[in-house]
Amino acid sequence: MWWLKEVWVIDPSQNLSAPRDVLIKGGQVLEMSSSLTEEEVLTLAQGEQVESINGKGKFVFPGLIDVHTHLREPGQEEKEDILSGSRAAVRGGFTTILAMANTKPVIDSRALVEFVRLQGERAGYAHVLPIGTVTKGMQGGELAEMMDMKAGGAAAFSDDGKNIQNAEVMRLSLEYAKLTGLPIISHCEDKDLAGEGQMRRGMASARMGLKGIPASAESVIVARDLLLAEETGGKLHLAHISTTESVDLIRRAKERGVDVSAEVNPHHLIFCDEELGITDTALKVNPPLGSPRDRESLIEGLRDGTLDMIATDHAPHTQSEKARPFAEAPFGIASLETALSAVWQYLVLPGQLSLDRVIEAWSLAPAKRFGLHGGSLKPGTPADIVLFDPEFSEMIDSAQLVSKARNTPFLGKTLQGFPIMVWVEGRLVQRDRSVL
Ligand code: DOR
Ligand code: ZN
């Protein structure tokens, strides 16, 4: 049994942000109290050995749930696999991750969904929930067998990495979502507007001499998908929202009662296109980094709930791929191990976002939207828990990362504020930054 003493507990499911003692036993949160005596704890332990942790100056919150991770298995295990990705997850404070379907082959059948789920269980770190494709082969045409994939354990459906260009196929998928009850996750990007663009179109792309992707490449599809969700009543989730216009469109759609949720990635909350240099392929991401105004809109959207949740879009690539010239390097940032610390350091510490909102947006909000357990520390719930030390600082060092990927903009930089203990169903899986 674990006894976390005098720790600051953030539990969005109970609107709680206060010092407490927390007991973890038998895979569950056993008790939360404003003070426990040694005697009471020993009685509750019923003979089990008790390890007590001094929680003063530290935070405890529900394990984070990331609805957008690329784990690359099957097919691209040189970038990441389910074991390395789920170890990276718990090192970064995530106890549940949803695995995107754009693997090789893509996850478009029940057998493949079951493969991802079982590989996740075998790995035994974070809970790994598969996302199935919306269309067969991720070709944007015929719908995949979503009911069948749901029976195999799919948590959502997405052609992420690609947009569904055909509006009728998108409309049908939202009709289908009413049968499965699961969200359709949309990667909003108009292919023709995006063209061969490498970064956001604007002053910075002109300066760097790179082809640009206009902000409208995202927003026109956001508008389309919101209208289709409104018409069909299907459950829509918008991935990696990155523009002011998209935030405005979502805000207005929510006022009309459209069944939509949206996520924002840490890198879009932290970085802007103006900071990009021609060698910064680690920051080459899709959708691309936007303007300072976009960044402000995203933070405001997250604060007021227009953007429901944070998600990493962990997109591992090999070092040789990212060492190519900017225009030839693949899109994506590997972020499971740094995302929470980056958000703490760049957004919470400067007062842009409260830690309470960050935890709600990264645990309870995804749990509710995707119908998952988690996001709560109520006694009796499975103990997916993070102990976070706001003072702990660490240089992001290639030798320490447990992900196979090194494509992070924080490599060689020091971040402050890290998860120092992580439990999955009461089992300690990370201690003092080492995955057990
Ligand atoms: O940057 C990205 N990388 N954006 C995506 O939509 C896909 C992802 C990937 O799979 O690498
Ligand atoms: Zn995407």
Side-chain angles (χ1 to χ4, degrees), residues 68 70 100 102 158-162 185-189 239-240 263 265 286-287 313:
H68 197 148
H70 295 274
M100 272 299 172
N102 64 339
S158 182
D159 280 7
D160 182 69
K162 274 189 191 172
I185 304 177
S186 179
H187 165 112
C188 299
E189 179 186 23
H240 41 54
E263 78 193 29
N265 305 150
N286 188 22
D313 197 0

Coordinates of all heavy atoms in Angstrom, one line a residue, residues 68 70 100 102 158-162 185-189 239-240 263 265 286-287 313, ligand 2:
H68 N -4.3 11.3 -28.8 CA -3.6 11.4 -30.2 C -2.1 11.0 -30.1 O -1.3 11.9 -29.9 CB -3.8 12.8 -30.7 CG -3.6 13.0 -32.1 ND1 -4.3 13.9 -32.9 CD2 -2.7 12.3 -33.0 CE1 -3.8 13.8 -34.2 NE2 -2.9 12.9 -34.2
H70 N 0.9 8.6 -32.1 CA 1.3 7.7 -33.2 C 2.3 6.7 -32.7 O 3.4 7.1 -32.3 CB 1.8 8.5 -34.4 CG 0.8 9.4 -35.0 ND1 0.0 9.0 -36.0 CD2 0.5 10.7 -34.7 CE1 -0.8 10.1 -36.4 NE2 -0.5 11.1 -35.6
M100 N -3.1 6.1 -33.0 CA -3.6 6.4 -34.3 C -3.5 5.3 -35.3 O -2.6 4.5 -35.2 CB -2.9 7.7 -34.8 CG -3.6 9.0 -34.3 SD -5.3 9.0 -34.9 CE -5.9 10.5 -34.0
N102 N -2.8 5.3 -38.6 CA -2.0 5.5 -39.8 C -0.7 4.7 -39.8 O 0.4 5.2 -40.0 CB -1.7 6.9 -40.2 CG -0.9 7.7 -39.2 OD1 -0.8 7.3 -38.1 ND2 -0.3 8.8 -39.7
S158 N -10.5 7.3 -37.1 CA -9.9 8.4 -37.7 C -9.0 8.0 -38.9 O -8.3 7.0 -38.9 CB -9.0 9.2 -36.7 OG -8.4 10.3 -37.3
D159 N -9.0 8.9 -39.9 CA -8.0 8.7 -41.0 C -6.8 9.7 -40.8 O -6.2 10.2 -41.7 CB -8.6 9.0 -42.4 CG -9.4 7.8 -42.9 OD1 -9.6 6.8 -42.1 OD2 -9.9 7.8 -44.0
D160 N -6.6 10.0 -39.5 CA -5.6 11.1 -39.2 C -4.2 10.9 -39.9 O -3.8 9.7 -40.1 CB -5.3 11.1 -37.7 CG -4.3 12.2 -37.4 OD1 -4.7 13.4 -37.5 OD2 -3.1 11.9 -37.1
G161 N -3.7 12.0 -40.3 CA -2.5 12.0 -41.2 C -3.0 12.4 -42.6 O -2.3 13.1 -43.3
K162 N -4.3 12.1 -42.8 CA -4.9 12.4 -44.1 C -6.3 13.0 -43.8 O -6.9 12.6 -42.8 CB -5.2 11.2 -44.9 CG -4.1 10.7 -45.8 CD -4.7 9.6 -46.7 CE -3.7 8.8 -47.4 NZ -4.3 7.7 -48.1
I185 N -12.7 11.2 -35.5 CA -11.6 12.2 -35.3 C -11.2 12.7 -36.7 O -10.7 12.0 -37.5 CB -10.4 11.6 -34.5 CG1 -10.9 11.0 -33.2 CG2 -9.3 12.7 -34.3 CD1 -9.7 10.3 -32.5
S186 N -11.3 14.0 -36.8 CA -11.0 14.6 -38.2 C -9.7 15.4 -38.2 O -9.4 16.2 -37.3 CB -12.2 15.5 -38.6 OG -11.9 16.1 -39.8
H187 N -8.9 15.0 -39.1 CA -7.6 15.7 -39.4 C -8.0 16.7 -40.5 O -8.1 16.4 -41.7 CB -6.6 14.7 -39.9 CG -5.3 15.3 -40.5 ND1 -4.1 15.2 -39.9 CD2 -5.2 15.9 -41.7 CE1 -3.2 15.8 -40.7 NE2 -3.8 16.2 -41.8
C188 N -8.2 18.0 -40.1 CA -8.8 19.0 -41.0 C -7.7 19.6 -41.8 O -7.0 20.4 -41.3 CB -9.6 20.0 -40.2 SG -10.9 19.4 -39.2
E189 N -7.7 19.3 -43.1 CA -6.7 19.8 -44.0 C -7.1 19.7 -45.4 O -7.1 18.5 -46.0 CB -5.3 19.1 -43.8 CG -4.2 19.5 -44.6 CD -3.0 18.7 -44.5 OE1 -3.0 17.5 -44.1 OE2 -1.9 19.2 -44.9
A239 N -9.1 17.1 -34.4 CA -7.7 17.0 -34.0 C -6.9 18.3 -34.2 O -7.3 19.1 -35.0 CB -7.1 15.8 -34.7
H240 N -5.9 18.4 -33.4 CA -4.9 19.5 -33.5 C -5.3 20.8 -34.1 O -4.9 21.2 -35.2 CB -3.6 19.0 -34.2 CG -3.9 18.1 -35.4 ND1 -4.7 18.4 -36.5 CD2 -3.4 16.8 -35.7 CE1 -4.7 17.4 -37.4 NE2 -3.9 16.5 -36.9
E263 N -9.3 19.3 -29.8 CA -8.1 19.2 -29.0 C -7.1 20.2 -29.6 O -7.1 20.6 -30.7 CB -7.5 17.8 -29.2 CG -6.8 17.6 -30.5 CD -6.4 16.2 -30.9 OE1 -7.0 15.2 -30.5 OE2 -5.4 16.1 -31.6
N265 N -2.7 20.9 -29.5 CA -1.4 20.2 -29.1 C -0.5 21.2 -28.4 O -0.5 22.4 -28.7 CB -0.6 19.8 -30.4 CG -1.4 18.9 -31.3 OD1 -1.2 18.9 -32.5 ND2 -2.3 18.1 -30.8
N286 N 2.5 19.0 -38.7 CA 1.3 19.2 -39.5 C 0.0 19.1 -38.6 O -0.1 18.0 -38.0 CB 1.2 18.2 -40.6 CG 0.1 18.5 -41.6 OD1 -0.4 19.6 -41.6 ND2 -0.4 17.5 -42.3
P287 N -0.9 20.0 -38.4 CA -0.8 21.3 -39.0 C 0.4 22.2 -38.6 O 0.9 21.9 -37.4 CB -2.1 22.0 -38.5 CG -2.5 21.3 -37.3 CD -2.0 19.9 -37.5
D313 N -0.3 14.5 -30.1 CA 0.0 14.2 -31.5 C 1.5 13.7 -31.6 O 2.2 14.1 -32.5 CB -0.2 15.4 -32.4 CG -0.2 15.0 -33.9 OD1 -0.1 13.8 -34.2 OD2 -0.4 15.9 -34.8
Ligands
ZN2 ZN -3.4 14.8 -37.9

